[in-house]
Amino acid sequence: MNPPSQPTPLSDADDDIRLQAAAWLVRRADEDWLPEDEQSLQRWLNADAANRQAYAHAQRIWAELGTLGQSGLLPEQGAEMVSETKPLLQGTVRRRMLWKGAGAAVFAAGAMWMGAGSQIMLAFEADYRTGVGERREVALPDGSRVHLGGDSAVAVRYDTRHRQVTLLRGEALFDAKPVNASGGPDAERRPFVVAAADGRTRALGTRFIVERLDARTQVTGVFHQVEVSLDHLPQDVVVVSPGQRVSYDRLGMTALQVLGEDAGQSWQRGLLVFERAMLADVVGRLNRYHTSRIVVRDHALAQRRVSGVFLQSDAQGAMQAIAQELGARLLQLPGLVMLL
């Protein structure tokens, strides 16, 4: 007899889809779910096979948590609670769970599933990494230095022609040993390049910051200049000077943003500075310093803009201040903080 087939696992690129699927499942259990909400869900499911796969996985998690009946289908709307008898080693336990509590549990399970997969990949790829809330300084073979922020990872690939560091996750401040083509036999002639997502940054001087967010990467000049280009358009180069920032994704690059000369100093002092930043990006950065995973349930809320200066060591206080500013609610669960 052949073993039952297993669903194909989603790739790391689908992390956001996994959380979207869990969010849809949570919303569907809400008593305020409307016919138009069901239509929106069906459009999302029909838009991509990956969406349907992620949603099916979220349903399986829900079932394993004991919140589904024997049919394996989502209950009819309006049901306030479900119960299930589960055999344990020494008897039977009857469990009852409120819908919203169950939905939050599914959301938490989805977040943990997403995080577990990415952590396993990092263990194979990264040469240097940090945990949540940890900062680390690394000396590279050529004398360059990398200052890793929380929950960040890099892979180092040096050869006779190139010095390349790949930012796999998070953020890092780079102090690159500058190129000296006219020096002696020990002078550094290889370019120093940081690859991240869909582009790369080449040092023209020494110090700069590269940060990977959920949907894009941003590069901040700190001392001297850097060149930023996209992998599929290497000839189109943007020069970033100290106090400037550029962001890019697979579609292109933004215009240069002027931040001020102290951008690097704020980072090194352990400050998180946001100037009309999208909440989704803010949460992405705070997650590197918060022991529980922070998620935003509502897409419209995730697009709201946030300004402020916060300590990396007080991500919880930052979340409370942001929630108050936006008029949102915080739901605290084991290992998870939901912004509603």
Side-chain angles (χ1 to χ4, degrees):
M1 180 176 178
N2 294 328
S5 61
Q6 297 295 324
T8 303
L10 294 174
S11 68
D12 287 343
D14 293 324
D15 284 351
D16 59 335
I17 297 178
R18 298 169 181 177
L19 284 180
Q20 288 175 38
W24 275 114
L25 198 56
V26 173
R27 290 179 57 196
R28 200 180 189 207
D30 198 300
E31 61 184 9
D32 295 327
W33 183 259
L34 300 172
E36 49 264 40
D37 296 323
E38 182 68 27
Q39 293 171 5
S40 296
L41 170 59
Q42 293 305 319
R43 284 195 296 270
W44 183 80
L45 291 171
N46 293 332
D48 197 300
N51 296 354
R52 296 190 293 274
Q53 183 180 353
Y55 191 78
H57 185 91
Q59 287 181 306
R60 286 193 294 272
I61 293 174
W62 192 305
E64 291 167 4
L65 289 170
T67 61
L68 294 180
Q70 293 182 352
S71 67
L73 300 175
L74 286 170
E76 296 296 328
Q77 295 303 314
E80 294 181 354
M81 60 183 65
V82 295
S83 61
E84 183 181 8
T85 301
K86 286 279 188 178
L88 297 180
L89 290 178
Q90 299 181 359
T92 301
V93 175
R94 189 170 183 83
R95 219 169 33 168
R96 304 176 76 193
M97 198 177 283
L98 289 176
W99 271 121
K100 289 187 180 179
V106 172
F107 209 112
M112 287 186 287
W113 169 50
M114 181 192 74
S118 59
Q119 290 295 335
I120 291 172
M121 291 300 296
L122 282 181
F124 284 99
E125 296 182 72
D127 292 308
Y128 304 101
R129 58 186 294 194
T130 56
V132 173
E134 179 187 3
R135 292 167 64 98
R136 181 182 180 186
E137 181 177 329
V138 176
L140 300 182
D142 64 326
S144 300
R145 306 190 78 83
V146 179
H147 308 261
L148 289 170
D151 194 20
S152 301
V154 295
V156 180
R157 300 292 181 267
Y158 278 28
D159 58 30
T160 57
R161 298 178 57 192
H162 303 94
R163 295 176 293 164
Q164 176 171 301
V165 179
T166 301
L167 181 63
L168 301 169
R169 182 185 184 118
E171 60 182 340
L173 184 148
F174 296 90
D175 275 315
K177 182 179 180 180
V179 172
N180 184 0
S182 60
D186 295 329
E188 185 56 70
R189 294 176 173 84
R190 298 168 297 174
F192 185 92
V193 175
V194 175
D198 306 292
R200 52 194 58 226
T201 302
R202 184 169 74 92
L204 300 180
T206 54
R207 178 171 287 197
F208 57 98
I209 300 169
V210 182
E211 180 176 11
R212 290 191 61 167
L213 301 169
D214 286 342
R216 57 193 174 84
T217 301
Q218 61 184 26
V219 179
T220 304
V222 178
F223 192 67
H224 296 131
Q225 294 177 317
V226 293
E227 289 182 345
V228 182
S229 61
L230 299 177
D231 290 340
H232 64 286
L233 293 171
Q235 69 280 5
D236 295 342
V237 173
V238 173
V239 177
V240 182
S241 298
Q244 295 181 335
R245 173 180 291 164
V246 70
S247 299
Y248 65 80
D249 58 21
R250 68 189 66 179
L251 300 178
M253 277 189 272
T254 64
L256 283 171
Q257 177 186 3
V258 178
L259 303 177
E261 297 289 340
D262 64 342
Q265 295 178 13
S266 298
W267 193 91
Q268 288 190 293
R269 295 204 312 266
L271 298 177
L272 295 171
V273 181
F274 304 109
E275 181 64 36
R276 290 194 51 76
M278 284 195 306
L279 180 60
D281 289 341
V282 172
V283 166
R285 298 183 70 185
L286 288 175
N287 269 325
R288 301 189 197 124
Y289 300 95
H290 199 284
T291 53
S292 296
R293 182 170 180 82
I294 307 167
V295 295
V296 184
R297 175 174 162 181
D298 183 76
H299 178 74
L301 180 60
Q303 305 303 306
R304 298 274 301 275
R305 298 284 173 172
V306 174
S307 297
V309 179
F310 307 101
L311 290 172
Q312 293 174 353
S313 58
D314 188 22
Q316 178 64 27
M319 281 307 305
Q320 291 173 347
I322 290 169
Q324 183 176 6
E325 177 185 344
L326 298 180
R329 293 189 298 111
L330 287 179
L331 175 61
Q332 305 274 354
L333 296 166
L336 182 72
V337 177
M338 293 182 66
L339 195 59
L340 310 172

